[in-house]
PDB file of all heavy atoms in Angstrom:
ATOM      1  N   ARG A1460     -13.350   7.125 -20.536  1.00  0.00           N
ATOM      2  CA  ARG A1460     -14.117   7.713 -21.638  1.00  0.00           C
ATOM      3  C   ARG A1460     -15.141   8.717 -21.123  1.00  0.00           C
ATOM      4  O   ARG A1460     -15.573   9.612 -21.855  1.00  0.00           O
ATOM      5  CB  ARG A1460     -14.823   6.608 -22.435  1.00  0.00           C
ATOM      6  CG  ARG A1460     -13.869   5.643 -23.124  1.00  0.00           C
ATOM      7  CD  ARG A1460     -14.612   4.467 -23.718  1.00  0.00           C
ATOM      8  NE  ARG A1460     -15.625   4.897 -24.680  1.00  0.00           N
ATOM      9  CZ  ARG A1460     -16.551   4.093 -25.199  1.00  0.00           C
ATOM     10  NH1 ARG A1460     -16.581   2.812 -24.822  1.00  0.00           N
ATOM     11  NH2 ARG A1460     -17.424   4.545 -26.070  1.00  0.00           N
ATOM     12  N   GLY A1461     -15.537   8.593 -19.863  1.00  0.00           N
ATOM     13  CA  GLY A1461     -16.456   9.548 -19.261  1.00  0.00           C
ATOM     14  C   GLY A1461     -17.912   9.255 -19.598  1.00  0.00           C
ATOM     15  O   GLY A1461     -18.222   8.673 -20.644  1.00  0.00           O
ATOM     16  N   THR A1462     -18.789   9.637 -18.680  1.00  0.00           N
ATOM     17  CA  THR A1462     -20.224   9.453 -18.883  1.00  0.00           C
ATOM     18  C   THR A1462     -20.979  10.308 -17.880  1.00  0.00           C
ATOM     19  O   THR A1462     -20.429  10.707 -16.852  1.00  0.00           O
ATOM     20  CB  THR A1462     -20.626   7.978 -18.692  1.00  0.00           C
ATOM     21  OG1 THR A1462     -22.037   7.846 -18.903  1.00  0.00           O
ATOM     22  CG2 THR A1462     -20.301   7.510 -17.285  1.00  0.00           C
ATOM     23  N   SER A1463     -22.219  10.588 -18.177  1.00  0.00           N
ATOM     24  CA  SER A1463     -23.075  11.303 -17.229  1.00  0.00           C
ATOM     25  C   SER A1463     -24.080  10.360 -16.580  1.00  0.00           C
ATOM     26  O   SER A1463     -24.922  10.792 -15.797  1.00  0.00           O
ATOM     27  CB  SER A1463     -23.816  12.439 -17.946  1.00  0.00           C
ATOM     28  OG  SER A1463     -24.584  11.920 -19.033  1.00  0.00           O
ATOM     29  N   HIS A1464     -23.994   9.061 -16.902  1.00  0.00           N
ATOM     30  CA  HIS A1464     -24.908   8.060 -16.366  1.00  0.00           C
ATOM     31  C   HIS A1464     -24.113   6.998 -15.604  1.00  0.00           C
ATOM     32  O   HIS A1464     -23.257   6.324 -16.180  1.00  0.00           O
ATOM     33  CB  HIS A1464     -25.713   7.397 -17.485  1.00  0.00           C
ATOM     34  CG  HIS A1464     -26.475   8.370 -18.344  1.00  0.00           C
ATOM     35  ND1 HIS A1464     -27.592   9.037 -17.891  1.00  0.00           N
ATOM     36  CD2 HIS A1464     -26.250   8.794 -19.622  1.00  0.00           C
ATOM     37  CE1 HIS A1464     -28.039   9.826 -18.849  1.00  0.00           C
ATOM     38  NE2 HIS A1464     -27.251   9.706 -19.907  1.00  0.00           N
ATOM     39  N   TYR A1465     -24.419   6.842 -14.327  1.00  0.00           N
ATOM     40  CA  TYR A1465     -23.661   5.909 -13.496  1.00  0.00           C
ATOM     41  C   TYR A1465     -23.743   4.482 -14.013  1.00  0.00           C
ATOM     42  O   TYR A1465     -22.748   3.744 -13.979  1.00  0.00           O
ATOM     43  CB  TYR A1465     -24.169   5.973 -12.051  1.00  0.00           C
ATOM     44  CG  TYR A1465     -23.646   4.830 -11.211  1.00  0.00           C
ATOM     45  CD1 TYR A1465     -22.310   4.777 -10.845  1.00  0.00           C
ATOM     46  CD2 TYR A1465     -24.491   3.783 -10.829  1.00  0.00           C
ATOM     47  CE1 TYR A1465     -21.822   3.719 -10.099  1.00  0.00           C
ATOM     48  CE2 TYR A1465     -24.008   2.727 -10.078  1.00  0.00           C
ATOM     49  CZ  TYR A1465     -22.672   2.693  -9.718  1.00  0.00           C
ATOM     50  OH  TYR A1465     -22.185   1.634  -9.001  1.00  0.00           O
ATOM     51  N   TRP A1466     -24.893   4.061 -14.502  1.00  0.00           N
ATOM     52  CA  TRP A1466     -25.063   2.665 -14.902  1.00  0.00           C
ATOM     53  C   TRP A1466     -24.070   2.251 -15.984  1.00  0.00           C
ATOM     54  O   TRP A1466     -23.725   1.072 -16.105  1.00  0.00           O
ATOM     55  CB  TRP A1466     -26.496   2.406 -15.367  1.00  0.00           C
ATOM     56  CG  TRP A1466     -26.932   3.190 -16.572  1.00  0.00           C
ATOM     57  CD1 TRP A1466     -27.554   4.407 -16.586  1.00  0.00           C
ATOM     58  CD2 TRP A1466     -26.759   2.817 -17.947  1.00  0.00           C
ATOM     59  NE1 TRP A1466     -27.790   4.820 -17.872  1.00  0.00           N
ATOM     60  CE2 TRP A1466     -27.311   3.861 -18.731  1.00  0.00           C
ATOM     61  CE3 TRP A1466     -26.210   1.716 -18.591  1.00  0.00           C
ATOM     62  CZ2 TRP A1466     -27.317   3.829 -20.121  1.00  0.00           C
ATOM     63  CZ3 TRP A1466     -26.212   1.684 -19.984  1.00  0.00           C
ATOM     64  CH2 TRP A1466     -26.759   2.719 -20.727  1.00  0.00           C
ATOM     65  N   GLU A1467     -23.575   3.216 -16.758  1.00  0.00           N
ATOM     66  CA  GLU A1467     -22.594   2.892 -17.789  1.00  0.00           C
ATOM     67  C   GLU A1467     -21.223   2.554 -17.210  1.00  0.00           C
ATOM     68  O   GLU A1467     -20.360   2.023 -17.915  1.00  0.00           O
ATOM     69  CB  GLU A1467     -22.460   4.062 -18.764  1.00  0.00           C
ATOM     70  CG  GLU A1467     -23.724   4.345 -19.564  1.00  0.00           C
ATOM     71  CD  GLU A1467     -23.540   5.521 -20.523  1.00  0.00           C
ATOM     72  OE1 GLU A1467     -22.402   6.024 -20.636  1.00  0.00           O
ATOM     73  OE2 GLU A1467     -24.530   5.933 -21.163  1.00  0.00           O
ATOM     74  N   LEU A1468     -21.021   2.835 -15.932  1.00  0.00           N
ATOM     75  CA  LEU A1468     -19.735   2.564 -15.291  1.00  0.00           C
ATOM     76  C   LEU A1468     -19.701   1.214 -14.567  1.00  0.00           C
ATOM     77  O   LEU A1468     -18.631   0.763 -14.170  1.00  0.00           O
ATOM     78  CB  LEU A1468     -19.416   3.669 -14.279  1.00  0.00           C
ATOM     79  CG  LEU A1468     -19.237   5.086 -14.824  1.00  0.00           C
ATOM     80  CD1 LEU A1468     -19.021   6.055 -13.675  1.00  0.00           C
ATOM     81  CD2 LEU A1468     -18.066   5.142 -15.792  1.00  0.00           C
ATOM     82  N   VAL A1469     -20.858   0.575 -14.395  1.00  0.00           N
ATOM     83  CA  VAL A1469     -20.918  -0.633 -13.583  1.00  0.00           C
ATOM     84  C   VAL A1469     -20.053  -1.748 -14.161  1.00  0.00           C
ATOM     85  O   VAL A1469     -19.227  -2.357 -13.454  1.00  0.00           O
ATOM     86  CB  VAL A1469     -22.383  -1.118 -13.444  1.00  0.00           C
ATOM     87  CG1 VAL A1469     -22.432  -2.473 -12.742  1.00  0.00           C
ATOM     88  CG2 VAL A1469     -23.198  -0.092 -12.665  1.00  0.00           C
ATOM     89  N   VAL A1470     -20.191  -2.021 -15.451  1.00  0.00           N
ATOM     90  CA  VAL A1470     -19.410  -3.104 -16.062  1.00  0.00           C
ATOM     91  C   VAL A1470     -17.915  -2.808 -16.049  1.00  0.00           C
ATOM     92  O   VAL A1470     -17.115  -3.671 -15.629  1.00  0.00           O
ATOM     93  CB  VAL A1470     -19.905  -3.401 -17.493  1.00  0.00           C
ATOM     94  CG1 VAL A1470     -18.987  -4.407 -18.184  1.00  0.00           C
ATOM     95  CG2 VAL A1470     -21.337  -3.932 -17.455  1.00  0.00           C
ATOM     96  N   PRO A1471     -17.453  -1.619 -16.484  1.00  0.00           N
ATOM     97  CA  PRO A1471     -16.011  -1.367 -16.426  1.00  0.00           C
ATOM     98  C   PRO A1471     -15.451  -1.387 -15.006  1.00  0.00           C
ATOM     99  O   PRO A1471     -14.304  -1.800 -14.801  1.00  0.00           O
ATOM    100  CB  PRO A1471     -15.858   0.021 -17.060  1.00  0.00           C
ATOM    101  CG  PRO A1471     -17.203   0.621 -17.073  1.00  0.00           C
ATOM    102  CD  PRO A1471     -18.149  -0.521 -17.185  1.00  0.00           C
ATOM    103  N   LEU A1472     -16.252  -0.984 -14.014  1.00  0.00           N
ATOM    104  CA  LEU A1472     -15.795  -1.075 -12.630  1.00  0.00           C
ATOM    105  C   LEU A1472     -15.618  -2.531 -12.209  1.00  0.00           C
ATOM    106  O   LEU A1472     -14.665  -2.879 -11.493  1.00  0.00           O
ATOM    107  CB  LEU A1472     -16.788  -0.378 -11.697  1.00  0.00           C
ATOM    108  CG  LEU A1472     -16.780   1.150 -11.698  1.00  0.00           C
ATOM    109  CD1 LEU A1472     -17.897   1.695 -10.816  1.00  0.00           C
ATOM    110  CD2 LEU A1472     -15.435   1.691 -11.229  1.00  0.00           C
ATOM    111  N   MET A1473     -16.509  -3.398 -12.658  1.00  0.00           N
ATOM    112  CA  MET A1473     -16.374  -4.824 -12.350  1.00  0.00           C
ATOM    113  C   MET A1473     -15.160  -5.422 -13.052  1.00  0.00           C
ATOM    114  O   MET A1473     -14.455  -6.264 -12.485  1.00  0.00           O
ATOM    115  CB  MET A1473     -17.652  -5.561 -12.753  1.00  0.00           C
ATOM    116  CG  MET A1473     -18.865  -5.184 -11.923  1.00  0.00           C
ATOM    117  SD  MET A1473     -20.386  -6.034 -12.454  1.00  0.00           S
ATOM    118  CE  MET A1473     -19.980  -7.722 -12.026  1.00  0.00           C
ATOM    119  N   VAL A1474     -14.890  -4.967 -14.266  1.00  0.00           N
ATOM    120  CA  VAL A1474     -13.717  -5.467 -15.003  1.00  0.00           C
ATOM    121  C   VAL A1474     -12.430  -5.080 -14.289  1.00  0.00           C
ATOM    122  O   VAL A1474     -11.549  -5.913 -14.057  1.00  0.00           O
ATOM    123  CB  VAL A1474     -13.716  -4.922 -16.447  1.00  0.00           C
ATOM    124  CG1 VAL A1474     -12.380  -5.232 -17.138  1.00  0.00           C
ATOM    125  CG2 VAL A1474     -14.869  -5.518 -17.240  1.00  0.00           C
ATOM    126  N   THR A1475     -12.311  -3.808 -13.924  1.00  0.00           N
ATOM    127  CA  THR A1475     -11.082  -3.366 -13.270  1.00  0.00           C
ATOM    128  C   THR A1475     -10.947  -3.977 -11.877  1.00  0.00           C
ATOM    129  O   THR A1475      -9.843  -4.303 -11.432  1.00  0.00           O
ATOM    130  CB  THR A1475     -11.022  -1.819 -13.200  1.00  0.00           C
ATOM    131  OG1 THR A1475      -9.715  -1.422 -12.816  1.00  0.00           O
ATOM    132  CG2 THR A1475     -12.025  -1.243 -12.240  1.00  0.00           C
ATOM    133  N   GLY A1476     -12.075  -4.156 -11.186  1.00  0.00           N
ATOM    134  CA  GLY A1476     -12.026  -4.800  -9.884  1.00  0.00           C
ATOM    135  C   GLY A1476     -11.600  -6.258  -9.976  1.00  0.00           C
ATOM    136  O   GLY A1476     -10.825  -6.747  -9.141  1.00  0.00           O
ATOM    137  N   SER A1477     -12.087  -6.960 -10.984  1.00  0.00           N
ATOM    138  CA  SER A1477     -11.682  -8.351 -11.182  1.00  0.00           C
ATOM    139  C   SER A1477     -10.189  -8.439 -11.478  1.00  0.00           C
ATOM    140  O   SER A1477      -9.493  -9.346 -10.997  1.00  0.00           O
ATOM    141  CB  SER A1477     -12.475  -8.961 -12.336  1.00  0.00           C
ATOM    142  OG  SER A1477     -13.860  -8.964 -12.052  1.00  0.00           O
ATOM    143  N   GLY A1478      -9.696  -7.469 -12.245  1.00  0.00           N
ATOM    144  CA  GLY A1478      -8.275  -7.474 -12.585  1.00  0.00           C
ATOM    145  C   GLY A1478      -7.387  -7.292 -11.379  1.00  0.00           C
ATOM    146  O   GLY A1478      -6.449  -8.081 -11.158  1.00  0.00           O
ATOM    147  N   ILE A1479      -7.661  -6.280 -10.560  1.00  0.00           N
ATOM    148  CA  ILE A1479      -6.821  -6.036  -9.394  1.00  0.00           C
ATOM    149  C   ILE A1479      -6.958  -7.173  -8.392  1.00  0.00           C
ATOM    150  O   ILE A1479      -6.002  -7.511  -7.666  1.00  0.00           O
ATOM    151  CB  ILE A1479      -7.176  -4.683  -8.740  1.00  0.00           C
ATOM    152  CG1 ILE A1479      -6.081  -4.260  -7.750  1.00  0.00           C
ATOM    153  CG2 ILE A1479      -8.518  -4.716  -8.040  1.00  0.00           C
ATOM    154  CD1 ILE A1479      -4.769  -3.947  -8.375  1.00  0.00           C
ATOM    155  N   SER A1480      -8.130  -7.814  -8.338  1.00  0.00           N
ATOM    156  CA  SER A1480      -8.342  -8.936  -7.427  1.00  0.00           C
ATOM    157  C   SER A1480      -7.482 -10.132  -7.807  1.00  0.00           C
ATOM    158  O   SER A1480      -7.036 -10.894  -6.939  1.00  0.00           O
ATOM    159  CB  SER A1480      -9.815  -9.344  -7.423  1.00  0.00           C
ATOM    160  OG  SER A1480     -10.633  -8.277  -7.007  1.00  0.00           O
TER     161      SER A1480
END
Side-chain angles (χ1 to χ4, degrees):
R1460 296 172 58 190
T1462 180
S1463 57
H1464 304 288
Y1465 167 71
W1466 62 268
E1467 295 180 6
L1468 297 176
V1469 173
V1470 173
L1472 285 175
M1473 293 178 67
V1474 170
T1475 192
S1477 298
I1479 194 66
S1480 300

